[in-house]
Amino acid sequence: MAYTSLSAMRNSICLPNMALSDKSNKHNEFCFSFGNHKSTPFFKSPRSDHFTLTNVATPSPSVAPPPSDRPETTATHGGPHHPAWTSILQDRWEGELLVQGQIPLWLKGTYLRNGPGLWHIGDYNFRHLFDGYATIVKLHFENGRLVAAHRQLESQAYQAAKKHQKLCYREFSEAPTPSNFLAYMGELAGLFSGASLTDNASTGVVKLGDGRVVCLTETQKGSIVIDPDTLETLGRFEYSDTLGGLIHSAHPIVTDSEFLTLLPDLIRPGYLVVRMVPGSNERKVIGRVNCRGGPAPGWVHSFPVTEHYVVVPEMPLRYCAQNLLRAEPTPLYKFEWHPESKAFIHVMCRSSGRIVRSVEVPLFITFHFINAYEEEDEDGRVRAIIADCCEHNADVSILDGLRLNSLRSFNGQDTLPDARVGRFRIPLDVDASEYGELEAALDPDEHGRGMDMCSFNPNYLGKKYRYAYACGAQRPCNFPNTLTKLDFVEKKAKNWHEEGAVPSEPLFVARPGATEEDDGVVISIISEKNGEGYALLLDGSSFEEIARAKFPYALPYGLHGCWVPKR
């Protein structure tokens, strides 16, 4: 059931459109804060009678956003590209926003979101969503007020590209063009050593138990520490152990007491399960999983845990050394699809590192696991592991569907591949079947047969849970375009949708002291097709809008975020 009254509400409060290059437009006024500029940021509308003003900043001279002359903004299908897929307008901005609605007074802290926000260097356009240079976005909530900011992550890859106006490191689908044969051989040598791999930490951002905030991607060198208040890049997170390797899971499991991640072994196909404690940069091995099929380990973008176990997925979408060496992308980029190698789920004891179960499961494709828990019988004995993920029906076309050209060329035809909430059941009984189950946790039509970018109440990590929040689909579309609340007990979904809007991952923040699982707020950043954008807050229980605040211009689509409580 769609939450449809929002479009009508928005029509009653929308601001007149303003071309980003029109500095004389009197309907909107903006003031920006660049770097250490001390002027008070300000966003003002003449229609203020339609707003509940929870934060009023002191007016200061109006400065319009810079005009966009970037090559990827050229018209397609009669209009400009959707701002979700258009490079950020400037490398940094900060300002306090006016809020329509009410921000809960208990919401005190900072939402950080990471993602690719710059998809061009000079006149060269990147080709894939995952190639863009990282843009960090901040939403700071305190006393019902909202201060927003964004800033480019100063990775080595970004700094080199900015300096030389060309690609200097290997990104997801891009490789530098060598000037001669010797340069080509040097670049290959750098690939084997990891020197030519990107450190563009554009995938996620996590708060470690010791308070450090780290941006991450799948290359280990792409672990970069930032200041959550200023968004300043502080330096690379250097692992002090000798485990080596070039890649790791883009999504570790992070709590106040530990950091868990997987290190794929491309030489002897398998995975190291490692742990790091707060205050340390040293990862220690819990155990190793040997792959049961294929020429290489399966791609492991994320993985789940329960209270006592680490769940290690082995997909038939496997790393491919030959594709890593190529200068031009293949249809599956750095991977190959090996359905003949089958798919497996391994279950490791978190304390001993012992493999307690390794079963074959139906073929699957997933970027993101949601959560997992231990299924108990009436006597309290653990009989199985339940693990949920955003599963793409074993359809590898989802990777190529994230090419920027495809995302920018939506013409009303439905091209988004189907997806579901895949629920694995892995039996733990000694005499149980050697096969695990995989089925839909609820009817995929509940969320439009689109599903990705998920979160849940972090207090239920590794425990039996009822609710999750994700991006679904209202078709026709070429990308997930709704925010969805999933109820695994009622097997129903509530969906938020606005025509032409592209929402980022919904992040759930629990209300302090809450006793109900869905007592909290859901935060998302919305890019609108008219060139505008806003921060959105939904009630975690009713899934109805409680507040929104417009940015001075739309931000590009982002990937993953985290919550940093006020210290």
Side-chain angles (χ1 to χ4, degrees), residues 426-482:
I426 311 303
L428 294 187
D429 290 341
V430 175
D431 57 350
S433 168
E434 293 298 317
Y435 296 89
E437 302 170 5
L438 173 60
E439 59 185 19
L442 72 167
D443 186 342
D445 284 331
E446 283 287 317
H447 49 76
R449 292 172 288 108
M451 181 52 46
D452 218 323
M453 312 304 286
C454 45
S455 74
F456 61 96
N457 187 329
N459 295 321
Y460 287 77
L461 174 67
K463 303 175 183 178
K464 190 169 185 179
Y465 71 121
R466 176 173 179 174
Y467 301 109
Y469 304 88
C471 290
Q474 180 159 310
R475 296 175 182 268
C477 60
N478 68 342
F479 193 80
N481 59 0
T482 72

Side-chain angles (χ1 to χ4, degrees), residues 71-105:
E72 80 273 17
T73 62
T74 53
T76 300
H77 294 289
H81 295 318
H82 196 292
W85 323 120
T86 304
S87 287
I88 195 78
L89 287 172
Q90 54 208 47
D91 65 357
R92 68 184 66 175
W93 169 84
E94 183 171 11
E96 184 173 356
L97 305 182
L98 293 186
V99 176
Q100 172 233 327
Q102 293 284 349
I103 296 174
L105 293 178

Side-chain angles (χ1 to χ4, degrees), residues 529-544:
K529 65 180 179 180
N530 61 1
E532 297 182 342
Y534 55 93
L536 177 70
L537 267 67
L538 302 177
D539 180 270
S541 177
S542 68
F543 214 56
E544 295 186 356

Side-chain angles (χ1 to χ4, degrees), residues 272-286:
L272 289 180
V273 181
V274 301
R275 174 190 288 121
M276 187 170 64
V277 299
S280 171
N281 287 36
E282 181 182 6
R283 299 162 300 180
K284 296 184 177 180
V285 176
I286 298 174

Side-chain angles (χ1 to χ4, degrees), residues 9 138 169 218 269 306 484 492 546 550:
M9 180 187 299
K138 176 185 81 171
Y169 291 84
E218 294 195 347
T306 70
T484 299
K492 295 291 183 181
I546 56 177
K550 280 186 176 293

